[in-house]
Structure formats: structure tokens, C-alpha cells
């Protein structure tokens, strides 16, 4: 429903290209997949570099949670993230 879309719409679009262009249906279309049909050959290295950035960002959030506490990350990252996510999918 609406709550699920607001919470998970953007990640589902990035991972599964949900609600993305029909021309990619039935093809590899994960935004993190360097071999996806979404990318030109010249973009594939940039996708890999972006994936590294996402991984390092998640590691940073995990470290922050370990040092400052999970509730600090929820308060200052997760809740604002969910607000932005809601605006992206509306």
C-alpha cells in the first residue's frame, strides 16, 4: 500500500527498476548491476565506482551506529532519509 511505497519505493526502483521504463522489462535492470541494460559500456566503470561509494557509505553508517548508538543513526539519518524517500516517490 501507500506506506510500503513511501518507505521502500525508491530502493525498490533502484534494485528492481520497479515503475521504470517498460523498454527494460525482462532485462537486467538493477541500478547497481554493471551489466544491466540501463548502462552504456562507457558508464559501467562509473556504476562500479558508485557501488563502492554506496558500500563505504553503509560501512560509515554502521560505524557511526556502533560509536554513537543505533538510535542516533535512526534520528539523524534514517528518519530524514524516509522523509526524502517519500518526496521522491510521490
Amino acid at each position: 500500500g501507500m506506506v510500503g511505497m513511501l518507505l521502500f519505493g525508491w530502493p525498490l526502483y533502484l534494485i528492481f527498476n520497479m515503475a521504470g521504463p517498460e523498454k527494460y522489462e525482462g532485462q537486467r535492470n538493477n541500478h547497481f548491476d554493471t551489466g544491466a541494460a540501463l548502462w552504456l559500456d562507457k558508464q559501467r566503470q562509473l556504476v562500479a565506482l558508485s557501488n563502492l561509494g554506496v558500500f563505504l557509505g553503509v560501512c560509515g553508517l554502521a560505524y557511526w551506529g556502533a560509536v554513537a548508538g543505533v538510535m542516533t543513526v535512526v534520528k539523524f539519518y534514517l528518519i530524514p532519509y524516509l522523509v526524502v524517500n517519500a518526496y521522491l516517490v510521490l
Side-chain angles (χ1 to χ4, degrees), residues 22-84:
E22 291 182 17
K23 67 181 181 178
Y24 297 118
E25 283 186 26
Q27 300 180 55
R28 291 169 61 182
N29 57 15
N30 180 322
H31 283 74
F32 301 102
D33 181 355
T34 58
L38 304 168
W39 312 120
L40 302 172
D41 286 338
K42 66 182 182 178
Q43 295 173 313
R44 297 187 194 287
Q45 282 186 313
L46 296 172
V47 173
L49 187 60
S50 175
N51 290 342
L52 176 62
V54 170
F55 175 75
L56 292 174
V58 170
C59 288
L61 288 171
Y63 177 75
W64 184 27
V67 171
V70 172
M71 288 311 296
T72 299
V73 177
V74 168
K75 180 179 174 182
F76 291 108
Y77 178 79
L78 186 60
I79 292 173
Y81 167 82
L82 292 174
V83 171
V84 169

